[in-house]
Amino acid sequence: MSSLRKYVLFVSDLNDKVGRIASFLVIGMIGFLVFEVFMRYLFDSPTVWAHELSAMLYGAYFLLGGGYTLKWNEHIRVDIIYDILPIRAKAILDLVTWLFFYAFCAVLVIEGAQYAWISVRGMERSNSMWEPFIWPSKICIPLGGLLMLLQGFTKTLNDVAIALTGRDLLSQEDKRSASA
Amino acid sequence: MSIEALAVLMFVSMMFMLATGLPIAFVLGGLGLFFGFFAWGSNCVHVLIAHASDLMRANLLLACPLFIFMAYTLERSGIAEDLYDMMYRWMGSLRGGLAIGTVVGCTIVAAMSGISTTGVLMMGIVGLPSMLRRKYDKKLAMGCIMAGGALGPLIPPSLIMIIYSLIAGQSVGKLFLGGVFPGLLLSALFIFYIVTRCYLNPNLGPPLPPEERVGWWEKIIILKNIIIPFLLVLGVLGSISFGVATPTEAAAIGAFGAVLSAGLHRKLNWSIMREVIFKTIRTVCMVMWIIFGAGVSRPSSKG
């Protein structure tokens, strides 16, 4: 049990860190785009990179933040029926329905890794005027899927624990230390 | 199986899966893969990745985090207090005046923010306690805040219209323009409703007692509170409609302006910014992974 608990705490902590770091990319996007508008109107010299760079940052932003959002349970769901179920029934239902989640993320990781690998091997560049390397943002696809998968697995472990014992895997102290 | 039968089956199973409480993003993504696999075999997995890389290049979607960041910054920027203060002085003497002021405030907020929670939170936090203290009817006070919040996605900028324009291939400028009149009409109808209800039954929204009313001079002075919201609306909507900037750039300008106005109100500190930034990524990911999942099921539903 304790190693499972360690896994859950480790993954939650990892996603918290990655998500928080990724969340600051939004400052970059705002900064680059405002800079672009200023350069265009005040100095009449638009940049070639501002839009593309911010779009690349955005790709990394939402892909890497997926696991973090899952950790905070903020992926929206329809809970009309779900909410009235007893806690054990919820866990058992989730064990079945979350197979969809695993299929989705597994494809993202496996296919995304091949796709990213081709891009890294060829040192692929974007076909725009600026021509940046495009592989760093392609790597984010399998990476984001993996973070999501790891976080989703902590939920499944917890669901198994609830289905078997009727209690959460983590004690209250664990949760408090995880959210700190 | 024919395409029609497949589409019907897909729709039914989507409804069923949604009811089970699986997050919407995974319902759409999982079903898309499942039916894609059924229809085309293992090649369908490429759709997912192709779609991921398409999304990463969609410049318009970049407006989502920027508008959400702007909305969350506005909530904490102190503009709400300014707006409410102004409405209080101008409308307080009318029957139901604070409720009218709340709807007007929500309309102004809706022109700065693309989501509905901004109006509800901004006007709710300052407006509700003040209305209840003045013995306003609880239902009326809550109702005008919630109804006002609904104007957020209708009056441009609007997050939902940006996403719709991308998925349906429509012009975002036209969608924005289409939202202006219905939004203002609704706002006017809300006000008309409040005025009528309070005229028939003054107990719902009693006017301020005479000693709390202010003179014309003070009413004019307080108009300065609308300068910052006006500049923000001009910066975002003005630059889109006059073709100065793309919607994405306008969103960036708006986000920058929201940070500046929080700074002017001396509300800009590390803990608020941290909270805004973390809240932004969670909302954005929630939205984006649904679009992501929807994109996977879209090609399979087209057959």
Side-chain angles (χ1 to χ4, degrees), chain A residues 129-180:
Chain A
M129 207 146 79
W130 180 40
E131 289 194 327
F133 283 120
I134 206 165
W135 53 266
S137 62
K138 286 196 176 171
I139 286 181
C140 290
I141 299 176
L143 215 56
L146 187 66
L147 286 169
M148 198 75 147
L149 205 60
L150 291 175
Q151 190 66 45
F153 192 56
T154 68
K155 180 184 158 44
T156 302
L157 285 178
N158 197 32
D159 283 339
V160 171
I162 292 176
L164 292 179
T165 65
R167 264 181 316 190
D168 271 349
L169 189 63
L170 296 186
S171 59
Q172 287 303 319
E173 303 90 80
D174 287 339
K175 280 185 189 159
R176 229 168 291 143
S177 70
S179 60

Side-chain angles (χ1 to χ4, degrees), chain B residues 110 113-114 149-158 160-161 175-176 178-184 186:
Chain B
S113 146
L151 297 171
L154 195 53
I155 297 180
S158 159
I160 200 89
M161 288 182 191
L175 283 171
F176 274 7
V180 176
F181 181 71
L184 293 179
L186 261 183

Side-chain angles (χ1 to χ4, degrees), chain A residues 39-107:
Chain A
M39 289 307 279
R40 197 164 69 213
Y41 286 101
L42 294 183
F43 301 100
D44 205 18
S45 59
T47 65
V48 290
W49 48 267
H51 277 277
E52 201 171 358
L53 182 60
S54 356
M56 284 171 80
L57 289 184
Y58 183 45
Y61 180 78
F62 82 82
L63 284 167
L64 297 180
Y68 175 63
T69 312
L70 190 59
K71 192 231 151 182
W72 287 92
N73 201 10
E74 292 204 7
H75 283 291
I76 201 162
R77 57 167 97 220
V78 179
D79 49 14
I80 308 171
I81 301 171
Y82 188 77
D83 260 8
I84 54 175
L85 294 176
I87 182 161
R88 251 185 157 146
K90 269 184 201 169
I92 294 167
L93 180 65
D94 276 349
L95 283 177
V96 180
T97 57
W98 277 65
L99 288 175
F100 267 28
F101 162 83
Y102 284 108
F104 184 60
C105 289
V107 169

Side-chain angles (χ1 to χ4, degrees), chain B residues 17-246:
Chain B
M17 287 307 293
L18 283 176
T20 63
L22 181 70
I24 297 171
F26 311 137
V27 171
L28 293 170
L31 270 182
L33 274 181
F34 183 78
F35 279 91
F37 206 81
F38 192 66
W40 305 321
S42 59
N43 278 333
C44 77
V45 292
H46 302 304
V47 173
L48 182 62
I49 304 302
H51 185 63
S53 61
D54 272 358
L55 274 188
M56 296 173 79
R57 252 176 269 140
N59 209 289
L60 190 57
L61 279 179
L62 189 50
C64 296
L66 306 178
F67 274 130
I68 290 173
F69 177 87
M70 180 185 177
Y72 286 160
T73 310
L74 283 176
E75 278 170 17
R76 312 298 299 270
S77 67
I79 285 182
E81 286 84 354
D82 272 9
L83 274 178
Y84 196 79
D85 207 21
M86 193 181 93
M87 297 306 161
Y88 186 85
R89 292 196 195 182
W90 275 83
M91 314 269 191
S93 55
L94 301 173
R95 281 182 187 175
L98 297 185
I100 299 171
T102 303
V103 172
V104 176
C106 281
T107 312
I108 298 172
V109 171
M112 294 188 282
S113 146
I115 51 180
S116 63
T117 50
T118 324
V120 174
L121 277 175
M122 283 176 75
M123 294 329 271
I125 289 169
V126 270
L128 190 61
S130 162
M131 278 191 276
L132 294 181
R133 208 165 43 239
R134 305 280 166 221
K135 303 272 185 295
Y136 269 56
D137 179 54
K138 206 183 261 172
K139 284 182 194 152
L140 183 78
M142 290 294 281
C144 69
I145 292 167
M146 302 315 275
L151 297 171
L154 195 53
I155 297 180
S158 159
L159 197 66
I160 200 89
M161 288 182 191
I162 292 172
I163 293 169
Y164 182 78
S165 81
L166 193 90
I167 292 175
Q170 296 298 316
S171 140
V172 74
K174 281 184 188 163
L175 283 171
F176 274 7
L177 211 60
V180 176
F181 181 71
L184 293 179
L185 178 70
L186 261 183
S187 167
L189 285 175
F190 292 157
I191 292 172
F192 178 70
Y193 177 79
I194 295 167
V195 170
T196 319
R197 286 288 306 271
C198 292
Y199 178 77
L200 295 176
N201 181 1
N203 288 333
L204 288 178
L208 290 185
E211 65 271 16
E212 284 187 35
R213 297 180 193 170
V214 294
W216 278 104
W217 181 238
E218 285 177 64
K219 282 190 183 175
I220 301 216
I221 293 230
I222 200 75
L223 279 180
K224 72 175 184 346
N225 282 2
I226 201 144
I227 295 175
I228 290 176
F230 178 74
L231 286 178
L232 274 176
V233 173
L234 193 74
V236 176
L237 293 183
S239 52
I240 296 176
S241 45
F242 296 125
V244 176
T246 65

